[in-house]
Amino acid sequence: AIQTLFGARDAVSDVLITKDHSILTASVDGSIREYDIRRGLMVEDAVSPEFGVVGLSSSSHDRDDCIVASCLGSKVLMIERGCGEVVASF
């Protein structure tokens, strides 16, 4: 292993690499984690602890300021990366 990313308390269900060299992970424990590889930091947002997060996507090809999270329980959330706030819920 080149590098091991710690933090997930359950299975990691999706991984998203961003243009700004961060790695985002979705976990069945209901959290989205952002690993800043350059600075060695990890930020965790517990967005859906009752359901779990199963998939991630960027909001667009040109911008990485929001992510779309697909959650168990038929929830889809648009989350602002900078503050972790849910912008929209479907």
Side-chain angles (χ1 to χ4, degrees):
I2 295 172
Q3 185 170 6
T4 303
L5 304 174
F6 295 98
R9 291 175 293 285
D10 207 330
V12 172
S13 52
D14 200 7
V15 176
L16 178 67
I17 312 281
T18 65
K19 293 177 184 171
D20 61 357
H21 307 287
S22 291
I23 298 173
L24 292 148
T25 63
S27 178
V28 178
D29 65 13
S31 294
I32 295 173
R33 291 172 185 83
E34 181 169 353
Y35 298 89
D36 185 331
I37 300 304
R38 291 182 172 176
R39 298 187 311 177
L41 299 174
M42 186 266 288
V43 176
E44 178 178 355
D45 287 316
V47 295
S48 184
E50 66 275 8
F51 295 114
V53 182
V54 294
L56 295 173
S57 178
S58 317
S59 57
S60 76
H61 294 291
D62 298 332
R63 300 174 56 187
D64 280 334
D65 56 343
C66 287
I67 55 171
V68 178
S70 173
C71 304
L72 295 172
S74 302
K75 284 174 56 174
V76 176
L77 306 174
M78 180 176 276
I79 302 165
E80 188 175 340
R81 279 182 60 202
C83 64
E85 181 180 335
V86 176
V87 179
S89 179
F90 308 95

